[in-house]
Each structure stands twice: as structure tokens, then as C-alpha cells.
Amino acid sequence: MTLAPTSTTARDDGPEARPGRTPQPAEDRRAHRLLRLLRRPLSLQGLLVGGAVVVVGYLAIVPLGYLIHDTFLSADGSGLSFNAFARAYGGNSQSGEMMLNSLWFALGSAALALVLGTALAYVQVRTDTPFKGLFFAASLVPLIVPGILYATSWIFLGDPSSGLLNSLVFKPLFGTSPINIYSVWGMIWVQGLHLAPVAFLLMVAAFRAMDPSLEESAAMSGANRLTVLRRVTVPLLRPAMISAALLMFVQSLESFEVPGLLGLQNGIYVFTSRIYFVLRAYPIDYGAAGAYAIGLLVIAAVGVLVSSWLQRSSRNFQTVTGKAFRPRPVELGRARPFVGAGVILYFLLTVVLPVAVLVYASLLKYYAAPTRKTLSQMSLANYRAVFDMPLAFTALKNSLIVGVGAATAVMLLTAIVSWVVLRTRAPGRRLLDLLAFTPIVIPGLVLGLALSFVYLRMSLPIYGTLLILLVSYCTRYLPYGMRYSSSAMAQMSPELEESAAVSGASWFQTFRRVLLPLMSGGILAGWVYILVVSFRELSSTILLYSPGKEVLSVLIWEQFENGQFTTLAALGVCMVVLLVVLVSIAYRLGARFGLQSDSAN
Amino acid sequence: MRTRNTTLALAGLLVAAATTGCGGAVTTASNAKADGTYAQIAALPKDQQVAKAKELAQKEGRTLSLYTSMTADIATPIAQAFEKQYGIHVSVFRGNSETVLQRALQEAQAGKPGADTVETNFLEMTALSDNNLLADFNGSSLDKVEAAGKFAHWTASRLNVFQPAWNTDLIKPADEPHSWEDLALPKYKGKLTLEVSDSDWFENVTKYWLDQGKSQAEVDKLWKAIVANSKVSKGHTTMMQFLSAGQSPMEAMNYTYITDRAAEKGAPVTHLPQGGVSKIPAFARPNGVGMIKNAQHPAGAWLFYNWLLTDGQKELVKLGLTPSTKVPGDKSLNGLTLVPFDVKGLSKDDGSWDKKYDALLRGAATTGS
């Protein structure tokens, strides 16, 4: 039923069909046919779509090919071998326990993040909660704070013996220290909080694009608010929730900082601890690292297949149709102060506390629990040190260039590719979807190795410049862009494109003037997400940056390695403030181009 | 008509974008003449080498690329001191020792080395040397370095000394450890922290105990008890932050220079017992410097190597590190009982000690060597 791929040929009538034209000689006809064949790929649609598919395919295949090559190649370089799998999963590697730990950790944090993110998004978009502006910026803070800082501030808060929560709150009041951040639950809590903004951004975009008429009809038929929520709203969001859950599950599987800082203490090993170990050792066992990555890939592929099976009846979820709609915020009435209080409590716990620890640490010379002595020694020396750092402004500039570039490139590419996947019948589109998802399971370090291998051997001046960082970030964030774009695309009914085509628009006009603005919520969310996390991206950057081309995450990592936690905290606070400002500006601008939906926004 | 123009414009942009870089690239290219330069300097009588190197470095453009695993608060002052003395700009790439090794290996394999000189840990320097990436040095500055610090194609520039470290607010003088075996005592249960990659310390202590006459079974028992007392953490400098904050009372091993630097800032940490003298065998691991074959700036690399072993040693002492030569005013080894580092055992290691240590920490160890 989809019309789009044929829209350009609809006008491609050959000379024979037009009345009153003399038939042309055979050679001319063959030439015309050739020209007609070439016209489609050489049209704007062909170039853009073909180009996007080729670029996405290239970005995904380079690290994947490198990984497969290293995993399956035998030690003496000849022929296929599965020894890498034996080394990785066999022997005393305790891989069963490690896999269980990883799955448990990933499922728990994805579930927590999904629940929190969806609830927050609902409150933000669909109710008339107070403090909306603050709400939005503050929801993103756990995402902005770099993983090592976030985990470290929770260590200072939740350490069983000396954590601030235990020593200042629980022990004096209840006499016990129940909080132990080094357990699996502690890890799930920190990672879930860290990921909740991912779900939040996705669900905000989904809620904004939702037609409330179905909810209104349910309300008119007598359903109370809870029933409407349970039987209409949540089911309508299934594609977005599934996309978010998949993304967060795989990201937790692949995350290193939280399990590394919190799990190692009590011997909780996960996939990534093993990958880190084999890549750190010398001689480097690329094969074993590849075997682990392929294990992750299999799990992710299963996840993608399950999620596309769950989304099979996508027609039911298309809420952006040709009819106009205006979502009406749910009036909370008497529940308003409670919800307001709940919002504030959430922020105290998840945003204010860790950031306060960071601010406190940034004012000290070396970290110590708050006592009169430490409070009297607070100063702004660390901030002065940050501004005096010769690389600070270069790193900031580079981070901005690479971040904005990667975010824009990825969102544009994935908007086009998600159109191919969801709106055409092109053969191999499911493979393309899967391919675009694979970079998420490739460990950052392996990505760095793959890219430096390939570009060192290319004569184009890419290695050693900012371009290689751009390529790395585009590769790394491709899956996220795909999830944001495709859930936005899935919400739109094809009748809008069809009406545009019927009115005479070309593919490019339809894409630019109908699809992109309607998807703008999702695209903007994805853009913001990629910009923010690119500031934190470290594992591949470490191998690829060159002196003079440092980015902020490298600076942060250096301070961490230096053990300069206090300067690191100051740098982190500056980064948080800067990114919150950037994100607010982005949303102000983006709101002009998209659906005017949020009231009081 | 409009869309066709847009198409052509876009296509043109794509082509243009694909053929231009984004600003000046850090040049990674091979310099086949580098070996000639190294040989030229090496052939001269020792008292003329520095002058010749300075002259050649001027022709090279007065710049140098250094890959190092020294933390930034050490690498930056070192680079600045060298720049001040010779007027040669040092561009520093800083990373973990593993990262430095991987990058140098990758670039060398592609025939495009980006570093002129590398300064990093014992294991990584050995790997670089075994992979034939380093050029030989024969300057007179080698004379001041002890025999234990001279290696096939590189030379030790500083020493990381292994000792336990503890927080003086939490560990009273009566509870201080006096030997590595003491760490296995039940009184330290829950108070120790081990670092996740300290397999070189693990190997040295194991060999020391075996040489002292302990049986393998006894050694295994000791290690199991130590691990039972400990939590595992990552990063020596990060561990020192947590130690200073009182988050952890004691560390089974940290580098003495890290402990000393933290103590100088006022943190209540130390590696020496109250009497000021420690009987715990202190293993001194060499970290060293090497020049890369086919480097872009071989004369600059030679000068840096030479400088690090002479005037650079004084800079290291100023920063609180332990130099590889005798420098007047160096107090970093006071009160320590030095024991030779097992160079032989670790240079022929193929990663087996890494694996044994990792298995020990995970509780998956079977029996020892």
C-alpha cells in the first residue's frame, strides 16, 4: 500500500505513451530506456536514500568486519577457528556466572529506567504539574554527568561504612546502615537512574505525538483515569517503550563504569569486566574480546527480533494521522500537591544529591567527609585550576564541533534510513535495521582499534584529525539515532505521505515538509541525547584522539587517572551547567519547528 | 528544476567533503632517514653527541612527539622543563600504559609511527622492544644508570616502588603491617583493598616467598587469605583518593610516590610505620624511555632520552618520584628496604601471571604456578 518508491516514476511516462508523438527509432528508444533506468538512482531521492544506506552500512560494517575477522581467524592466520570462543567462555572464566550477573544487571536497570522515564514523561507532557521547565532540564542531569562521576558520587553517598546517607541520615535516626551501594541492587539503582533520561526523552517524544482522542473516547465511555492509563495510553506507547527498553538493556550489558566501580569491590563480574581484562593484557587477545562481543551481539539480535515481532501490528500504534489533534493535559486536581511533592522528592534523590556531592567535592583540596575542618577549608581553587588548564577551551571547542556534527549527521542519516526500513518494501531492510543496531554491542575499545586500523591505512587525512572522532561517534551513536527516528516514524500513519504525493509533492518535498516536521519531536530528542552523551564518550576516544585534538571526556579521564577527584568534580560541575544550558536552548529552538503540543511549555 | 539543482549541489558537496580533511592532521608518516640520524649521532664521540643532536633537532623543526603513561600532573611539568631547556616543543599523548602500547603498535604496524619517543612502564617497554620498535641509544648519560636499569633497547628513567599504604586516622601504630605476610592476618579482614591489575606485584611477592623457602601450598594459602581480607578496586591514583577520604583503611599495595604526593597535600596517608623505617621488601619496578625507529624527529627523540636520564632526573625528584639514578636531595627511598624486581621472570611472561592474578581475585584459582 505504500506509495513512495514509485512516486518519481509516476511521472516517468515514456515518449510512446504521450499522444501525438511520432515513434522514435530503435537506438533512441534503447538510449531513452537506459536514461530512464539511471534517472531513479540519480534523482535526489535516489542519491539521498542510496547515499544514506551506503553510509550507514559502511559505518556499521567496518568495526563488525574487523571484529569477525579477529574472532574467527585462527592463531596462525590460516582458516576458520573457534579457539577464541573456547578461550573466552571456557576454562576458569566463570562465564555462566558472569552472564547471569550481566543479564540480571541489564534487565533490572532497564526496567527501573523504563518505569521512571515513562512516569516522568507522562507527568511532564500530559499533566499540569508545577515546575515544568525545571523538571525537563533536571530530568536530563543524570544523563549529562559522566558515568565515572555519577558512580563515584553514589559511592560517597552509599558506601556501607562511610557513605553520607548512612552516616548522616540512617545511622543517627535508625541506628543501622542499610544502604550498600556495592551490591547488585546498588548497581541497578545507579545504572537505572543514569539511564532514566534515555527513556524519558523517547517517551516525551512519543507522548507529544500521541492523539488523545482515543483516551478521550475511553473517558467518555466511563473509564476512570487509571483505567484509561492502563488500557489505552500505555498500550499505545508500546513501540516507543519497546525501543527504549531494548536500547537500555543493551546499553547496560555494554556499560563499564558502573559495574567496574561498584561491582568489582564485591567480586561481581560482568561481560564488560571480562572484555576489559582481555583487551588490557599483553599480548592482546583480540579473538577472546571478539568472542565476548559476538555473544553480546547475539543477545542484541535476539532483542531486536523480539522487539520487531512485538511491533508487528504497527498499524494499531499509529497515532499521528491526517486529523488534527491537540493533547489536553490531564488535570491533577487534588493530586497536584502530591505529584508536585513526588517530583521534588525524585529530584532530591536522583539529581540534587549526587550533584551536591560533586559541588561539595569540587570545593575541597582532597575529598573527605564533611566536618567543621573540611567546611572551613572550602575554596574555589579547583575552578581556577579548570579555567587555567591550557587545554580546557580547546577541548570544549572540539567537543562541541564533534558532538554537534555527529548528532546532526546521525539524526539525518537515521531519519532517511528509518524511512527505508519502515515505509518501503525494499529487500534487505530488516537486515539494514539490524546492521544499524550492531555498533551498540561493539565495545568502545574495539571500535577504536578497528577505526585506527582502517584509517591508518587510508591515504585520506582522517587519522589524527577530528574527523576520525566524528566517524567514531557517528558509528557509536547510530543505533540510538535509529531507535529515536524509527519510533517517531512508527507513530505516523502513511496517509500523510500519501496525501502529499497525491497533491504532487516529490519525495524530497514530502520528506522535508511533512515527515521531518512531524518527526521533529523524536529527532530533536535523539539529537539532544547524542550531543550529551558524546561529551562523555571515552572508550574509543582514548585511542583515537591526538594531541591538540583532545575532547572534554579525555580531560575528565585524565583528571580521574590523576586521582584528582576534586578537580574532576569541578570540571564535571562546569560540564553539567554548560550542557543544561545547551539542551534548554536546543529545546527552545526545536519547539518552533515541531508539533505545538505541550501546554505551558 | 529546483530539485535537480539541489541534487547537483548536494553531490558536489559530498565529493568536496570526502576529499578534504578537517584541519591539520598530526602527521603520521614513516621517516626512513631516522635510522641514519640515530646512527650518525651514535657514531660520534660521546662529548660531541649532544651538540650534534641539538643541531639536527633545529633542522627537524624543533618539535617532538611523546607518548607516555605518566599522569598529566607529572607529564606536563616534565615536558615544560625540557622545552625550557632546549626550545623544542613537546606534544604529549597521554594514556594508560596499555593504551600507549596499543597505539604505538598499531601505528608501527601500519608503517606510520606518530611518536618519536615513548615513556611508559616496564611491561610495555619490554613489549615495544620485543616488537623491534625501538632504536638503540649509547649516550654518556647511560653511565649514571645502574646495571639493573639498563635494558636491551630502552633505559629505566624512574622507579615505581611497591609498598602497602594506610590511612593513619584509621590504622593505629599497633596495627601497622611489618611484612607482606602480615596482610593475610585476620585482623585486616574487610580493611584491605587490592588493585585489579597488580599482577607484577603478585609475581614478585610470590617469587620472593618461594625463594625464602615457603612451599607453593603455603604461598597459595597466604594469597587466599589476603584476597579474603580484601575488596578489589581499579586505578592506583583513584585508590589513593579513597584512602585519603577514609573510604578504605588500607591498601595492600600502592606506589610509594603516589602515597608521598598525597601526604604532601595533607592527606593522612603513609607507607612508612611510625618509626620511619619499613622492613617490608620494597620491589622497585623500572619505568623507562625509548626512541622509536623511523620517527619523524629522531634527533629530538635522542635529546629527550638523554635529558630524561640527566637533568630530567632532577625534575622527577622535584615532583616526588623516584629517579633511576642517584640524585642529591632525593628522599623518596628513605626508610625503604629495596629488593630487586624480578625482571627476568616478567619479561618472558606471556600473560600467564595476569591470568593467574585475575583468577585469584575472582576466586576461580585452582593451584599456583
Side-chain angles (χ1 to χ4, degrees):
Chain A
M1 263 293 288
T2 51
L3 200 58
T6 57
S7 55
T8 46
T9 52
R11 275 167 282 157
D12 256 357
D13 296 313
E16 300 86 348
R18 274 188 236 143
R21 275 277 206 142
T22 50
Q24 296 189 303
E27 308 84 46
D28 282 347
R29 246 182 293 154
R30 244 175 277 133
H32 273 290
R33 207 174 299 153
L34 196 62
L35 215 59
R36 218 184 325 148
L37 267 174
L38 283 177
R39 205 180 297 176
R40 192 164 357 138
L42 285 181
S43 69
L44 188 59
Q45 173 188 4
L47 262 186
L48 279 179
V49 171
V53 169
V54 163
V55 171
V56 167
Y58 170 74
L59 284 179
I61 285 183
V62 164
L64 200 59
Y66 182 82
L67 196 68
I68 292 181
H69 172 266
D70 269 342
T71 311
F72 289 107
L73 198 65
S74 66
D76 49 8
S78 62
L80 205 60
S81 123
F82 288 98
N83 286 340
F85 285 91
R87 287 197 306 275
Y89 294 105
N92 67 353
S93 63
Q94 297 172 309
S95 49
E97 198 184 305
M98 160 192 76
M99 184 117 38
L100 275 177
N101 281 337
S102 294
L103 284 175
W104 185 218
F105 170 63
L107 280 171
S109 44
L112 178 64
L114 191 63
V115 164
L116 282 177
T118 313
L120 283 179
Y122 182 75
V123 168
Q124 163 78 4
V125 177
R126 300 304 287 278
T127 63
D128 59 350
T129 324
F131 317 125
K132 267 198 189 174
L134 162 75
F135 198 103
F136 190 83
S139 301
L140 292 182
V141 169
L143 185 67
I144 295 176
V145 179
I148 40 181
L149 275 181
Y150 201 67
T152 317
S153 38
W154 274 104
I155 289 180
F156 286 128
L157 284 171
D159 183 285
S161 50
S162 58
L164 292 175
L165 281 177
N166 283 324
S167 58
L168 292 181
V169 174
F170 282 96
K171 209 152 191 162
L173 287 181
F174 302 109
T176 58
S177 309
I179 301 198
N180 178 4
I181 204 80
Y182 300 119
S183 56
V184 180
W185 292 108
M187 282 161 58
I188 289 179
W189 171 253
V190 176
Q191 181 78 356
L193 286 185
H194 202 43
L195 283 182
V198 179
F200 176 73
L201 283 177
L202 254 174
M203 302 310 287
V204 161
F207 274 115
R208 281 190 180 156
M210 212 164 86
D211 178 355
S213 58
L214 290 161
E215 294 169 320
E216 284 166 7
S217 353
M220 278 202 305
S221 308
N224 64 19
R225 254 181 250 140
L226 212 56
T227 315
V228 170
L229 198 64
R230 190 168 57 90
R231 298 190 60 180
V232 179
T233 315
V234 170
L236 270 180
L237 292 170
R238 236 171 55 181
M241 290 207 298
I242 292 170
S243 279
L246 179 64
L247 203 59
M248 293 185 299
F249 174 72
V250 178
Q251 199 179 358
S252 299
L253 271 183
E254 207 246 333
S255 113
F256 177 68
E257 291 123 355
V258 170
L261 278 171
L262 298 178
L264 225 47
Q265 301 260 3
N266 284 347
I268 304 173
Y269 286 84
V270 295
F271 251 117
T272 37
S273 345
R274 299 298 312 153
I275 294 181
Y276 177 76
F277 173 73
V278 301
L279 283 178
R280 192 188 46 75
Y282 178 80
I284 304 169
D285 193 351
Y286 295 113
Y292 287 126
I294 293 203
L296 279 178
L297 193 60
V298 166
I299 298 180
V302 167
V304 169
L305 287 174
V306 167
S307 83
S308 50
W309 176 78
L310 283 173
Q311 290 181 10
R312 65 198 179 288
S313 47
S314 58
R315 191 118 212 153
N316 300 340
F317 308 113
Q318 283 159 0
T319 52
V320 181
T321 61
K323 301 193 286 261
F325 65 89
R326 182 184 308 264
R328 214 169 42 88
V330 170
E331 271 161 47
L332 291 169
R334 268 177 308 171
R336 209 165 182 249
F338 292 110
V339 174
V343 165
I344 294 188
L345 185 66
Y346 175 77
F347 282 112
L348 273 178
L349 264 185
T350 63
V351 174
V352 174
L353 267 183
V355 175
V357 171
L358 277 188
V359 172
Y360 166 67
S362 67
L363 296 170
L364 300 175
K365 242 185 133 184
Y366 65 87
Y367 185 81
T371 61
R372 198 155 301 176
K373 181 161 150 234
T374 53
L375 289 173
S376 65
Q377 285 174 340
M378 293 211 260
S379 77
L380 287 174
N382 291 320
Y383 289 97
R384 251 194 300 272
V386 168
F387 284 109
D388 280 342
M389 258 191 253
L391 290 171
F393 289 107
T394 320
L396 178 62
K397 182 186 69 150
N398 289 336
S399 279
L400 275 174
I401 294 177
V402 182
V404 169
T408 315
V410 168
M411 288 325 287
L412 280 178
L413 283 173
T414 54
I416 299 178
V417 173
S418 61
W419 177 82
V420 171
V421 170
L422 289 174
R423 289 283 186 265
T424 65
R425 292 263 180 83
R429 66 187 184 289
R430 289 227 200 286
L431 182 63
L432 186 62
D433 194 14
L434 188 57
L435 207 57
F437 197 67
T438 53
I440 205 176
V441 294
I442 303 206
L445 212 44
V446 174
L447 179 64
L449 286 170
L451 288 178
S452 59
F453 182 86
V454 168
Y455 290 103
L456 267 174
R457 288 162 178 73
M458 215 183 261
S459 48
L460 290 174
I462 294 185
Y463 185 87
T465 66
L466 279 183
L467 269 184
I468 199 170
L469 287 179
L470 188 67
V471 171
S472 165
Y473 289 11
C474 285
T475 311
R476 201 131 161 81
Y477 299 120
L478 203 59
Y480 299 92
M482 269 308 284
R483 288 298 114 192
Y484 281 99
S485 297
S486 48
S487 39
M489 182 76 76
Q491 277 184 306
M492 295 192 306
S493 146
E495 62 198 39
L496 296 157
E497 289 170 74
E498 289 163 6
S499 15
V502 160
S503 310
S506 71
W507 176 85
F508 184 60
Q509 284 175 316
T510 313
F511 197 79
R512 189 170 61 91
R513 299 182 61 181
V514 176
L515 288 179
L516 276 186
L518 286 174
M519 284 167 63
S520 67
I523 291 189
L524 186 61
W527 192 92
V528 163
Y529 178 78
I530 295 178
L531 177 68
V532 167
V533 296
S534 70
F535 268 70
R536 292 180 357 206
E537 201 316 289
L538 188 63
S539 36
S540 64
T541 315
I542 273 197
L543 264 182
L544 297 174
Y545 86 93
S546 297
K549 308 276 178 268
E550 286 92 347
V551 287
L552 269 183
S553 53
V554 169
L555 233 56
I556 288 179
W557 179 247
E558 298 227 324
Q559 294 303 315
F560 187 74
E561 294 251 283
N562 270 358
Q564 303 283 30
F565 183 65
T566 47
T567 325
L568 174 60
L571 196 53
V573 169
C574 292
M575 203 170 99
V576 169
V577 167
L578 175 73
L579 280 173
V580 166
V581 167
L582 266 181
V583 167
S584 313
I585 294 179
Y587 263 90
R588 282 279 134 185
L589 289 177
R592 304 248 178 93
F593 297 109
L595 295 169
Q596 303 293 343
S597 43
D598 283 18
S599 57
N601 235 36
Chain B
M1 192 64 191
R2 257 183 66 205
T3 47
R4 196 177 67 189
N5 289 346
T6 325
T7 316
L8 290 173
L10 257 177
L13 253 173
L14 276 170
V15 171
T19 50
T20 53
C22 190
V26 167
T27 43
T28 50
S30 188
N31 180 8
K33 294 190 295 161
D35 285 348
T37 315
Y38 288 132
Q40 191 182 8
I41 302 179
L44 290 173
K46 306 244 163 140
D47 47 359
Q48 293 176 14
Q49 284 176 329
V50 176
K52 186 71 182 170
K54 276 206 278 205
E55 178 199 321
L56 291 174
Q58 291 275 352
K59 292 205 199 114
E60 282 171 359
R62 296 173 45 158
T63 176
L64 176 69
S65 163
L66 167 70
Y67 285 10
T68 181
S69 60
M70 293 190 269
T71 47
D73 51 348
I74 297 172
T76 311
I78 294 281
Q80 283 170 346
F82 177 75
E83 269 186 56
K84 206 157 148 226
Q85 190 162 346
Y86 288 106
I88 298 179
H89 171 71
V90 183
S91 151
V92 180
F93 169 81
R94 219 239 114 234
N96 284 352
S97 48
E98 302 94 26
T99 310
V100 167
L101 174 65
Q102 280 172 347
R103 193 180 169 111
L105 281 177
Q106 281 258 312
E107 289 175 350
Q109 277 164 5
K112 293 190 186 152
D116 300 312
T117 170
V118 177
E119 202 279 5
T120 180
N121 300 349
F122 170 75
L123 276 173
E124 283 74 16
M125 291 308 292
T126 310
L128 285 174
S129 163
D130 289 343
N131 275 289
N132 248 321
L133 294 180
L134 301 176
D136 287 331
F137 177 87
N138 69 349
S140 58
S141 49
L142 279 181
D143 301 338
K144 294 236 187 67
V145 180
E146 300 182 9
K150 295 192 197 156
F151 299 93
H153 303 292
W154 59 282
T155 312
S157 53
R158 56 193 169 96
L159 303 172
N160 280 9
V161 182
F162 298 170
Q163 286 279 273
W166 57 90
N167 183 313
T168 46
D169 291 341
L170 297 172
I171 300 275
K172 299 296 164 218
D175 291 328
E176 288 164 351
H178 298 287
S179 65
W180 291 115
E181 291 87 328
D182 276 356
L183 296 177
L185 292 173
K187 69 175 173 180
Y188 294 123
K189 187 148 190 85
K191 295 202 176 148
L192 274 186
T193 307
L194 285 169
E195 207 273 344
V196 75
S197 59
D198 273 344
S199 55
D200 46 5
W201 166 70
F202 174 62
E203 192 272 351
N204 270 279
V205 175
T206 303
K207 182 165 178 302
Y208 179 78
W209 282 340
L210 290 173
D211 287 345
Q212 296 255 299
K214 289 198 181 28
S215 71
Q216 184 60 56
E218 284 170 348
V219 170
D220 288 341
K221 198 155 156 261
L222 278 171
W223 279 118
K224 279 217 176 70
I226 294 182
V227 171
N229 282 349
S230 321
K231 308 187 288 205
V232 178
S233 189
K234 187 174 119 51
H236 293 106
T237 28
T238 317
M239 273 166 55
M240 185 50 61
Q241 283 274 314
F242 286 129
L243 189 73
S244 313
Q247 215 81 9
S248 135
M250 193 153 107
E251 282 160 12
M253 193 288 274
N254 207 327
Y255 304 138
T256 54
Y257 84 88
I258 294 184
T259 316
D260 288 338
R261 282 169 68 90
E264 228 174 299
K265 286 220 188 87
V269 293
T270 182
H271 59 81
L272 291 172
Q274 207 178 28
V277 175
S278 165
K279 290 274 181 301
I280 306 181
F283 302 98
R285 185 188 76 201
N287 296 343
V289 63
M291 307 182 291
I292 301 282
K293 286 186 185 170
N294 301 332
Q296 296 266 296
H297 309 100
W302 194 98
L303 270 181
F304 185 79
Y305 194 123
N306 189 61
W307 174 84
L308 197 57
L309 297 178
T310 50
D311 292 325
Q313 296 279 295
K314 302 196 197 100
E315 295 298 322
L316 289 172
V317 171
K318 266 196 237 165
L319 291 165
L321 275 69
T322 309
S324 60
T325 60
K326 295 231 180 330
V327 177
D330 170 31
K331 296 205 196 69
S332 60
L333 293 173
N334 287 5
L336 292 176
T337 312
L338 280 182
V339 170
F341 183 78
D342 185 15
V343 167
K344 211 152 142 234
L346 283 171
S347 3
K348 58 174 167 56
D349 177 35
D350 55 350
S352 58
W353 281 103
D354 258 344
K355 294 200 184 77
K356 278 189 218 156
Y357 184 62
D358 173 68
L360 174 73
L361 290 181
R362 280 188 289 126
T366 43
T367 46
S369 64

